[in-house]
Amino acid sequence: MSLQIGIVGLPNVGKSTLFNALTQASAAVAPYPFTTIDPNRGIAAVPDERLEALARLVGPTQVTPATVEFVDIAGLVRGSHHGEGLGNRFLAHIREVDAVAVVARGFTDPDVPHVEGDLDPRRDLEVLDLELALADLETVQRRLERTRAAAKARPKEVAGELALLEGLEAHLQRGERALTWARTNEAAALTRELHLLTAKPRLYVANVAEDDLPDGGEKGAAVARIAQQEGVPCVVLCARLEADLASWPPDEAAEYRAAAGLERSGLAELVWAGYRTLDLITFFTIVGGREVRAWSVRRGAAAPEAAGRVHTDMERGFIRAEVIGWAELVAAGGWAAARERGLVRTEGRDYVVQDGEVCLFRFNP
């Protein structure tokens, strides 16, 4: 599964610094717009205490976490939907991802000028939303022109699509996002087909100064209020601090975070928020004493689909799944003991895998 989260925002808000900290990559960082031209891509491990508990139980030679792919996308500016600042290329990159992490700047730095002149996270997010909405509106209107032309020759065939497009156009013109319009299967399918930017699930990141941690101060609170109004996650962090701490020994980094009032890494918070935004769950597999591995799958996936995450042959030849919750397995002391106690269940093709389950897939090779 290669689901991707795009890191988006205005220039100089700390996107590349955040990307580097998340993925331990080396994307260029500089105090001027458009340092990032082509998108940088990197993988971030999903920190999971359940995986650690299973590893302590099994003592494997290899422990493999689930991962999320992040894409560092260049900053958008006013007029991006018309091509300002290479906007068309950057908007195309956003179309390719499955969800977006919208970064708002909440820190001041005389060496890193703000593209809008002064610091105002709410205004910055409004600029970003406007550019995405206008780009979507242009996409919808181009499709409408073709559909209306087709309606002259085949009115009955395209009547349904025409009505959907006109409703979507009116929705976007009111300043609403496509995500809040796509309430039916037909509407959702249309927004996916059009690759609309405002139809993508999102989360917010308030990138604040270290002195404003842990709550983010006034600027962080402004971003958090927007996220709360929309019912989406908001992560408050200091990207520069996280980038520094990523290179420290884990115990020293944890001690520093504790002194700053942080319960855990802002990066961990962001990865988990992204995981939830993509609507993923985690299941685990244990291969003898060799490997304990976490796998991600869409919530609601049936057992054969989950088996296919491990290997395509498992999905094609799926027979059954043997399943147990991770906590039950740890409490029992191992797979054999759990089986003896009748804790391991046998499930068929229609079984929906639940978050945190340990699965053993039986299949015909």
Side-chain angles (χ1 to χ4, degrees):
M1 180 179 296
S2 58
L3 295 178
Q4 299 175 335
I5 298 176
I7 302 176
V8 303
L10 300 186
N12 293 350
V13 299
K15 298 184 305 298
S16 294
T17 300
L18 182 59
F19 173 84
N20 288 339
L22 274 169
T23 64
Q24 296 296 286
S26 54
V29 178
Y32 49 82
F34 313 125
T35 307
T36 304
I37 302 298
D38 295 318
N40 300 298
R41 305 175 189 274
I43 301 295
V46 179
D48 198 327
E49 295 177 354
R50 301 170 300 179
L51 179 65
E52 296 172 6
L54 289 170
R56 289 192 296 269
L57 173 69
V58 176
T61 55
Q62 184 174 348
V63 179
T64 306
T67 60
V68 174
E69 183 173 358
F70 285 88
V71 182
D72 177 24
I73 298 172
L76 299 177
V77 297
R78 291 183 188 271
S80 288
H81 70 288
H82 283 318
E84 293 294 330
L86 302 179
N88 288 332
R89 287 179 59 186
F90 301 160
L91 289 168
H93 296 152
I94 300 175
R95 295 187 196 283
E96 297 171 359
V97 301
D98 301 283
V100 291
V102 181
V103 183
R105 178 170 170 174
F107 66 90
T108 57
D109 186 337
D111 295 326
V112 183
H114 193 292
V115 70
E116 288 286 326
D118 62 334
L119 195 62
D120 185 345
R122 176 175 288 277
R123 178 212 53 215
D124 294 351
L125 294 176
E126 289 174 351
V127 170
L128 183 74
D129 273 340
L130 178 62
E131 292 304 318
L132 298 180
L134 289 173
D136 280 352
L137 187 58
E138 288 186 358
T139 298
V140 171
Q141 289 174 337
R142 286 196 298 269
R143 178 66 169 264
L144 257 174
E145 288 179 9
R146 296 196 299 270
T147 304
R148 283 172 176 153
K152 295 177 181 178
R154 298 176 286 111
K156 292 183 178 180
E157 291 182 28
V158 300
E161 178 182 324
L162 184 59
L164 282 174
L165 286 167
E166 288 175 343
L168 177 54
E169 180 189 34
H171 187 81
L172 292 170
Q173 287 176 329
R174 291 193 297 269
E176 303 288 342
R177 294 186 198 139
L179 184 65
T180 60
W181 175 82
R183 301 300 190 188
T184 66
N185 291 337
E186 294 82 0
L190 180 61
T191 60
R192 287 193 299 270
E193 181 184 349
L194 295 175
H195 301 286
L196 296 184
L197 303 168
T198 63
K200 296 185 181 297
R202 68 168 58 182
L203 63 100
Y204 288 98
V205 180
N207 184 17
V208 301
E210 183 177 348
D211 290 344
D212 287 327
L213 294 173
D215 60 358
E218 178 186 348
K219 306 303 183 186
V223 180
R225 283 193 296 271
I226 293 172
Q228 185 177 26
Q229 291 167 1
E230 297 178 12
V232 300
C234 178
V235 178
V236 176
L237 52 73
C238 173
R240 181 174 294 178
L241 173 64
E242 294 293 345
D244 290 341
L245 293 181
S247 63
W248 289 24
D251 55 340
E252 293 182 17
E255 183 178 348
Y256 190 94
R257 288 192 182 94
L262 301 172
E263 294 184 5
R264 65 173 177 171
S265 161
L267 301 181
E269 297 281 0
L270 176 53
V271 171
W272 269 114
Y275 209 68
R276 294 193 300 271
T277 300
L278 291 171
D279 202 21
L280 299 175
I281 64 167
T282 301
F283 70 92
F284 304 96
T285 57
I286 299 174
V287 182
R290 300 190 302 278
E291 182 184 27
V292 174
R293 181 162 183 168
W295 302 87
S296 60
V297 69
R298 289 277 198 182
R299 187 180 305 279
E305 182 181 346
R309 290 283 295 119
V310 181
H311 199 286
T312 54
D313 288 348
M314 290 187 176
E315 183 172 10
R316 285 195 296 265
F318 180 88
I319 300 174
R320 65 182 183 274
E322 297 178 11
V323 179
I324 183 174
W326 74 274
E328 289 181 296
L329 182 60
V330 171
W335 192 269
R339 189 188 297 278
E340 289 176 5
R341 297 182 191 178
L343 299 175
V344 179
R345 310 186 313 277
T346 299
E347 304 289 356
R349 301 186 63 86
D350 295 333
Y351 178 71
V352 175
V353 175
Q354 302 299 305
D355 186 42
E357 290 183 327
V358 183
C359 300
L360 173 62
F361 299 110
R362 302 294 186 182
F363 68 105
N364 284 320

